[in-house]
Amino acid sequence: MVGDQSKLSIYGKDFDYSVIKGTVGPDVIDIRKLYGQTGAFTFDPGFTSTAACESALTYIDGDEGVLLHRGYPIGQLAENSNYMETCYLLLNGELPSAAELKDFSWTISRHTMLHEQLMSFYSGFRRDAHPMAIMCGVVGALSAFYHDSTDIADPDHRRISSHRLVAKMPTIAAAAYKYSLGQPFMYPDNKLSYTGNFLRMTFGVPAEEYEVNPVIEKAMDRIFILHADHEQNASTSTVRLAGSSGANPFACIAAGIACLWGPAHGGANEAALNMLREIGTPDKIPHYIERAKDKNDPFRLMGFGHRVYKNYDPRATVMQQTLREVFAAMKVTDPLFDTALKLEELALSDPYFIEKKLFPNVDFYSGIILSAIGFPTTMFTVLFALARTVGWVAQWNEMISDPAQKIGRPRQLYTGPTERDYVAIDKR
Ligand code: CMC
């Protein structure tokens, strides 16, 4: 919605720019004409003040610690919804009726298998390959197998490829795990729920019946909901940028997976648990807090801080609560949970973390719960990628359907040499 005009004074001259209002959140100043009018670019590395697109999917109020999917608070979805329903909501904009949900879940379940030849890709990887490396490769390779859904101009192709991606991720992720163990791959069992099926493909073996534990199934489903989408984060922006050139959705999601892998993003859940293990006992915490504050030490508290949240990440609240529920139901505990709670308490009372508004994010507690469920740390980011696929796909669809969509092509501030003549090698 275009609102007021805003005057910007540049090189002593005033220029008018429209101020566009969203339904909620900060206004944006439409500077698309700025270069044409002034000959200058804006400079915003890391996009700290730049909206790169319009989106109706997810809203974050970082100061208040609010996260909404299509308007629904994440806490309500985590409490009352399930992952399939949340997927439908993100992809279609509204919560489904019972019949719509049944139909959607059935459709997804019909796409859970992988082309058999794709399964042979796994044997090309070393057994000790990081499963995220396998995910990047196998998801990228999907475009070589599903040519019938890569015409991005066709809405049916877009819908089918979206369903395929959401449906096949658990099979791909579980196979990456099985491969690392040297165990046979498990085919999907479509009688089970999306999440139950994933647990069976991951922890089951063909030699035995696998019974899905409903407590773990619910916790895992909730963890998937918590990771389903998160506005224009680095991996989502990567998917959009890759997709803006017209690349097929499988290639775009592979790009998103590559970006998610980094420890500042999805890789933080693995890094956070490794950090807690390194800290070990609560008495060591002050030493690590001092290290995190030391500018000359690269160490950071993993699972702490966020570009947008300057308050408690609402996903971390649900994650901590889910962790308590799983521990109670399984009658287990983990001393690292006490270390994490103490670390949170000490960090949140330290002036450095208070001033910089650094709070626990979604990754702080997720590692402890995933570890309790039985996943090795290398699988943590894979689970994030699995769950985030629906968000990436929904954002990609939104972009492709937007008539104003253009190829993403940032500008730069050039600081290299000005034009100079080539010097022959014997003259250098
Ligand atoms: N430990 C210690 N200091 C920190 C931390 C931390 N975890 N996070 C930020 N800071 C400091 C940082 O050094 C900087 O200080 P100064 O202003 O003196 O230079 C200030 O806080 C602002 O940090 P920034 O790096 O400029 O903020 P950013 O928005 O660019 O980075 C972040 C956000 C998430 C990358 C960063 O907080 C971080 O590296 N956290 C640890 C990794 C992590 O947990 N990532 C998961 C994010 S949530 C899930 C996801 O999106 O994937």
Side-chain angles (χ1 to χ4, degrees):
M1 192 195 315
V2 177
D4 307 332
Q5 294 285 307
S6 172
K7 245 181 226 325
L8 292 184
S9 190
I10 297 158
Y11 304 135
K13 236 178 119 187
D14 285 346
F15 296 91
D16 282 326
Y17 296 101
S18 313
V19 176
I20 308 178
K21 292 187 178 301
T23 43
V24 59
D27 297 343
V28 304
I29 303 166
D30 182 350
I31 53 152
R32 277 175 287 189
K33 292 199 206 106
L34 183 121
Y35 174 56
Q37 289 176 335
T38 67
F41 300 143
T42 53
F43 186 59
D44 185 18
F47 299 103
T48 52
S49 300
T50 300
C53 66
E54 203 179 306
S55 181
L57 270 151
T58 296
Y59 173 72
I60 304 173
D61 181 334
D63 294 327
E64 296 299 322
V66 169
L67 167 61
L68 310 176
H69 288 330
R70 301 281 192 187
Y72 297 102
I74 191 66
Q76 289 187 23
L77 291 173
E79 187 64 31
N80 306 306
S81 184
N82 58 58
Y83 183 67
M84 268 299 92
E85 186 180 67
T86 302
C87 287
Y88 183 99
L89 173 69
L90 287 169
L91 289 169
N92 299 290
E94 296 297 335
L95 287 169
S97 66
E100 284 167 336
L101 180 58
K102 196 170 164 212
D103 186 51
F104 178 71
S105 305
W106 185 88
T107 304
I108 294 296
S109 75
R110 286 311 176 271
H111 287 295
T112 48
M113 288 203 300
L114 292 180
H115 192 291
E116 199 61 21
Q117 251 174 288
L118 197 61
M119 301 309 287
S120 60
F121 270 54
Y122 286 84
S123 54
F125 288 96
R126 283 169 54 131
R127 289 272 173 198
D128 62 354
H130 195 290
M132 282 299 278
I134 298 181
M135 290 287 277
C136 290
V138 175
V139 173
L142 289 174
S143 46
F145 286 83
Y146 300 103
H147 299 287
D148 59 339
S149 62
T150 51
D151 177 3
I152 64 159
D154 183 332
D156 279 340
H157 278 224
R158 296 207 297 271
R159 186 176 41 77
I160 295 167
S161 59
S162 302
H163 290 166
R164 279 182 168 148
L165 277 156
V166 171
K168 293 183 196 308
M169 280 316 247
T171 318
I172 293 171
Y177 178 60
K178 285 296 186 203
Y179 185 71
S180 72
L181 296 180
Q183 287 184 1
F185 298 137
M186 295 286 284
Y187 286 105
D189 178 351
N190 291 340
K191 286 196 303 299
L192 300 173
S193 71
Y194 181 89
T195 304
N197 186 30
F198 171 64
L199 289 171
R200 181 184 158 278
M201 287 191 290
T202 305
F203 297 119
V205 287
E208 284 173 17
E209 278 295 306
Y210 178 80
E211 227 171 277
V212 179
N213 178 331
V215 175
I216 305 295
E217 184 182 16
K218 186 158 178 253
M220 199 68 237
D221 200 76
R222 195 183 272 174
I223 292 168
F224 287 164
I225 294 175
L226 293 180
H227 289 92
D229 192 43
H230 211 232
E231 219 223 50
Q232 306 310 319
N233 57 84
S235 57
T236 301
S237 299
T238 300
V239 169
R240 279 186 177 260
L241 193 56
S244 76
S245 72
N248 75 68
F250 303 109
C252 296
I253 302 308
I257 293 171
C259 177
L260 186 77
W261 195 359
H265 193 7
N269 51 15
E270 183 176 343
L273 192 74
N274 288 336
M275 173 194 76
L276 288 172
R277 283 181 179 149
E278 187 184 322
I279 295 174
T281 46
D283 57 304
K284 309 265 176 26
I285 293 172
H287 168 67
Y288 283 90
I289 287 191
E290 286 315 308
R291 282 190 61 191
K293 288 159 42 176
D294 181 355
K295 286 278 158 254
N296 299 317
D297 188 331
F299 177 79
R300 279 187 166 198
L301 283 194
M302 300 314 282
F304 250 80
H306 199 274
R307 169 63 60 79
V308 185
Y309 293 119
K310 300 301 165 200
N311 202 327
Y312 214 97
D313 180 339
R315 300 168 301 171
T317 313
V318 181
M319 197 66 86
Q320 202 203 93
Q321 179 200 328
T322 309
L323 178 54
R324 288 182 195 279
E325 285 169 17
V326 167
F327 277 179
M330 292 172 72
K331 299 194 176 49
V332 294
T333 185
D334 183 341
L336 285 188
F337 186 34
D338 297 328
T339 306
L341 287 171
K342 193 71 192 165
L343 177 56
E344 175 185 328
E345 184 196 319
L346 292 182
L348 293 187
S349 56
D350 188 294
Y352 174 95
F353 291 86
I354 295 170
E355 262 163 44
K356 295 187 191 304
K357 298 187 176 159
L358 300 170
F359 291 84
N361 60 50
V362 68
D363 293 320
F364 191 60
Y365 289 105
S366 64
I368 303 176
I369 186 167
L370 293 175
S371 178
I373 291 174
F375 292 100
T377 44
T378 51
M379 279 296 286
F380 293 178
T381 314
V382 167
L383 301 173
F384 195 153
L386 186 171
R388 180 57 58 82
T389 294
V390 71
W392 289 331
V393 159
Q395 299 263 357
W396 173 83
N397 271 296
E398 185 180 61
M399 179 189 69
I400 301 292
S401 322
D402 181 353
Q405 187 259 327
K406 270 176 182 274
I407 186 167
R409 207 307 183 182
R411 301 293 197 163
Q412 65 168 12
L413 173 67
Y414 178 69
T415 55
T418 52
E419 185 172 330
R420 49 185 171 165
D421 287 328
Y422 178 81
V423 182
I425 196 158
D426 57 337
K427 301 271 175 351
R428 284 176 226 158

